[in-house]
Amino acid sequence: MSSVPGHPPRNRDADLPALGIRGGGWVTIQVVLIAGVFLSAVVGLGWPRSLAPVFYAVGAVLVAAGAALLVAGAIGLGSALTPFPAPRSTGELQTGGVYRLARHPMYGGGILIALGWSAIFATVVGLALTLLLAVFADLKSRREELWLERHYADYGAYRLRTRHRLIPFVW
C-alpha cells in the first residue's frame, strides 16, 4: 500500500482485474499456462546421463508433494471447491487441515507439480512457464483474496494467522 498525503492508503491488489463475474478469465489463463508446461515435455532436451537420475528423483518428489498438496486442498474445500477464484455463495471459509498452513495450497500444489514435471522432462521452456505460472498464481490468489474478504467476515483474521499464501512453510 502506498500513501499520498491527504488520501487514504491504496491497496494495489484492488487494481487486479476480475476478468469476469467469478474470474473465468483467470481460470482460462491458468489452463493455458498449465497446458504449456505439460506440452513443454515434447521439446525437452534431456539431461546428461550422469545427472538424469538426480533430476528424475527430484522431479518425482516435487510432483508427489504437489499432488498431495493439491488433493489435500481439494478435500479441505469439499463442496466449496470451484475452479473460479470468486467463492461459491454457499461455501464456508475453510481454515483447518492444510488451510492452517497455506491459504491457497491448491495453487502451490500446481506450481510444485509443474516444477517437478519440468525437472523430469529437462525443459527450459517448462521451467520458464512454471515461473510464469508461479507469478500468475500469486496474482490470482491476491485477486481471490479480495473476493474472499468481501464474502467472509473472518477472512482478514484468517489471513493474518496463516502467513503462507501458496506453499506451506515456504511461500
Side-chain angles (χ1 to χ4, degrees):
M1 287 198 223
S2 64
S3 183
V4 176
H7 295 283
R10 185 170 148 220
N11 180 353
R12 288 176 161 191
D13 291 345
D15 294 337
L16 291 168
L19 300 181
I21 295 170
R22 297 204 49 225
W26 288 95
V27 175
T28 301
I29 295 166
Q30 181 176 334
V31 166
V32 168
L33 286 170
I34 291 169
V37 169
F38 283 103
L39 290 172
S40 73
V42 174
V43 296
L45 304 173
W47 297 110
R49 285 180 155 249
S50 61
L51 294 177
V54 173
F55 280 98
Y56 294 162
V58 168
V61 168
L62 288 169
V63 168
L69 199 52
L70 193 72
V71 169
I75 290 170
L77 284 178
S79 65
L81 180 63
T82 175
F84 299 104
R88 292 183 186 273
S89 59
T90 58
E92 293 181 21
L93 179 62
Q94 301 302 317
T95 61
V98 73
Y99 288 92
R100 283 181 299 112
L101 306 173
R103 299 189 307 271
H104 303 278
M106 292 181 68
Y107 295 165
I111 292 166
L112 291 176
I113 291 169
L115 185 58
W117 180 268
S118 297
I120 290 168
F121 290 100
T123 169
V124 173
V125 173
L127 290 172
L129 287 172
T130 298
L131 177 61
L132 190 57
L133 178 65
V135 170
F136 176 80
D138 187 70
L139 291 172
K140 182 181 176 196
S141 69
R142 290 173 188 275
R143 176 63 216 160
E144 184 171 339
E145 289 189 342
L146 294 171
W147 276 312
L148 292 168
E149 283 179 352
R150 287 187 207 135
H151 192 76
Y152 300 113
D154 296 342
Y155 194 81
Y158 164 67
R159 189 177 63 209
L160 290 174
R161 276 192 322 271
T162 309
R163 226 180 75 198
H164 295 99
R165 184 184 299 268
L166 304 175
I167 301 173
F169 313 111
V170 178
W171 176 16

